[in-house]
Amino acid sequence: MSDHVRLEIDGAVAVVTMAKPPHNLLNGAFIGQLIGAFESAADAGGRAILLRSEMKHFSAGADVDGFGSEEGRAQDAAAVLERLEGVPLPTIAAVGGLALGGGFEVALACDFIICGASARLGLVEATLGLMPLLGGVQRVVDRAGASRGKEIAMFARRHDPVLLEKWGIVNVVVEDDELENASLSWARQLATGPNVSYAAIKRLAAITTSEGVRAADVVQDEAAKPVWASEDLQTGMTAFAETGPGTAIFQGR
């Protein structure tokens, strides 16, 4: 995709690698490259997306030196989040080192977060007199509740991932040297699953988060239509009848 964001296919996993020295600092151009990689993943043959870093840190936040420049000018946050989260493939962020400010927010835009034990994550914008600008407040509140979300954003601490796992923000914490294998294992498992079903699940989860359970109930039957029409459903039903549950080999169609 670029020198700073690479998209590679590992089996059916689209591995998106951030490689912007020294610490994957975010600006408008870099975020645009991330969006491009996410939106290209399915056409490249990916059925799940793994977001990782080649640097020491996942991302240490925004490129503060670029504030006010054309390259550093923030894109419309709602549009960025809609595109990152709107990708129908399941997405996993593998977080090692620091994920601060916008870096943490990019991870929060993924469906799942897996952390190395020594990682530290935080919404640190308040230390500059700012607030999180890429949906971080809303997403930690959604995952952990208003009290914890405000604590994370207002105190601007760097948090141990084990605590964030306890709060429901992080999915799992592994030893640092297991992060690559553990996150790739999750991605590979998702990449063998029924993608049409996954897309419907993501849609209903997003509606529930933004509009509530009742709103998701209203669109559930409509969201299920492509699932009923999918090849994977037929494959799953046939495998269940012939060889038992959990034996289907899905093609993602």
Side-chain angles (χ1 to χ4, degrees):
M1 299 294 295
S2 72
D3 291 339
H4 294 157
V5 177
R6 298 197 309 272
L7 171 61
E8 300 163 303
I9 301 299
D10 181 336
V13 176
V15 181
V16 177
T17 300
M18 299 183 292
K20 184 186 177 189
H23 304 312
N24 290 326
L25 297 181
L26 302 174
N27 57 24
F30 189 36
I31 291 172
Q33 291 164 16
L34 282 176
I35 292 172
F38 271 47
E39 293 182 337
S40 300
D43 288 341
R47 291 173 54 191
I49 296 173
L50 173 60
L51 177 62
R52 60 178 296 275
S53 170
E54 193 174 86
M55 303 291 102
K56 177 181 179 181
H57 302 300
F58 182 80
S59 172
D63 184 357
V64 178
D65 290 339
F67 279 7
S69 70
E70 184 68 27
E71 184 181 36
R73 190 168 297 155
Q75 300 184 51
D76 179 80
V80 168
L81 292 163
E82 182 178 4
R83 292 177 70 180
L84 286 176
E85 295 179 330
V87 172
L89 303 180
T91 58
I92 299 171
V95 177
L98 297 177
L100 303 179
F104 188 14
E105 291 176 293
V106 167
L108 287 165
C110 293
D111 298 315
F112 309 101
I113 301 175
I114 300 178
C115 290
S118 68
R120 293 296 180 268
L121 304 89
L123 298 176
V124 296
E125 289 86 350
T127 63
L128 298 175
L130 278 171
M131 56 169 280
L133 298 173
L134 199 58
V137 174
Q138 301 91 298
R139 279 152 187 80
V140 290
V141 166
D142 178 57
R143 295 187 184 211
S147 180
R148 290 299 189 194
K150 287 184 286 187
E151 176 183 343
I152 290 167
M154 291 183 181
F155 281 93
R157 300 186 183 108
R158 301 181 181 193
H159 290 276
D160 184 313
V162 173
L163 178 62
L164 296 185
E165 181 185 19
K166 179 180 177 182
W167 289 353
I169 294 171
V170 165
N171 291 89
V172 66
V173 181
V174 299
E175 294 300 322
D176 291 338
D177 59 4
E178 296 176 4
L179 177 60
E180 182 175 354
N181 287 337
S183 57
L184 190 56
S185 176
W186 273 51
R188 284 174 173 161
Q189 182 173 341
L190 289 165
T192 63
N195 281 86
V196 180
S197 173
Y198 288 164
I201 291 168
K202 288 189 62 165
R203 181 183 175 193
L204 290 174
I207 292 171
T208 302
T209 297
S210 61
E211 302 177 46
V213 172
R214 180 57 183 160
D217 289 343
V218 170
V219 302
Q220 178 172 300
D221 287 346
E222 188 268 330
K225 288 179 181 178
V227 178
W228 286 115
S230 68
E231 293 180 24
D232 282 340
L233 177 61
Q234 302 308 313
T235 298
M237 298 294 286
T238 299
F240 181 85
E242 294 180 352
T243 54
T247 60
I249 299 175
F250 299 112
Q251 300 301 316
R253 297 190 293 268

